[in-house]
Amino acid sequence: MTLTRTLTSSLAALAGLGAAAVHGLHAEGNAPAYVINEISVSDPAGFASYATQEGALIDKFGGRFLSRGGKTAVVAGELPKRVTIYVFDSLERAQAWRDAPEQKQLVAIRDKASSFRSFIVEGCGACKPPTG
């Protein structure tokens, strides 16, 4: 009886490890997508209204903020006045957020309150620097 119980426990543990490995491999297949925004606010009250609503919309599509207007330091080129960065699980989720009907209304508010440059960059799960 003890041998059977030990084998059953071992098989269950191996099945759990296998499921975790498959989940990990599946997660690597979907690269995250980063939305990067450079912002110059001309109407702080209007922009605050936009930012609150946009944050809720980003959350609705599974995105989360990595940076939201914190301190910046120049590496090269001109430093933007404000930067936000958020991440989605995939490029498809980021594009769904971008194409949402609510987004059109928010863009109108945003464009009245700021100058805005925004783009989506697909990330990579196993990026390594070039060698050679």
Side-chain angles (χ1 to χ4, degrees), residues 11-77:
L11 287 174
L14 286 173
L17 286 173
V22 167
H23 177 73
L25 289 173
H26 183 267
E28 285 182 20
N30 288 333
Y34 300 91
V35 178
I36 302 167
N37 307 298
E38 298 176 359
I39 310 156
S40 179
V41 176
S42 55
D43 174 5
F47 191 80
S49 173
Y50 157 78
T52 299
Q53 295 176 70
E54 185 68 69
L57 187 61
I58 291 165
D59 186 53
K60 177 181 173 181
F61 282 87
R64 64 184 171 82
F65 280 90
L66 299 178
S67 174
R68 197 169 191 177
K71 293 179 183 178
T72 57
V74 70
V75 174

Side-chain angles (χ1 to χ4, degrees), residues 7 36 54 80 84 91 104:
L7 285 173
I36 302 167
E54 185 68 69
T84 60
L91 186 58
K104 291 181 183 177

Side-chain angles (χ1 to χ4, degrees), residues 57-119:
L57 187 61
I58 291 165
D59 186 53
K60 177 181 173 181
F61 282 87
R64 64 184 171 82
F65 280 90
L66 299 178
S67 174
R68 197 169 191 177
K71 293 179 183 178
T72 57
V74 70
V75 174
E78 188 176 327
L79 189 64
K81 295 194 187 307
R82 180 181 169 100
V83 175
T84 60
I85 304 170
Y86 27 97
V87 63
F88 292 89
D89 290 339
S90 67
L91 186 58
E92 292 76 23
R93 292 293 291 168
Q95 290 170 328
W97 155 81
R98 181 199 62 200
D99 296 337
E102 304 97 319
Q103 192 64 270
K104 291 181 183 177
Q105 297 169 353
L106 291 175
V107 165
I109 296 168
R110 180 196 74 201
D111 289 349
K112 287 181 183 175
S114 67
S115 296
F116 208 88
R117 182 177 147 191
S118 182
F119 48 95

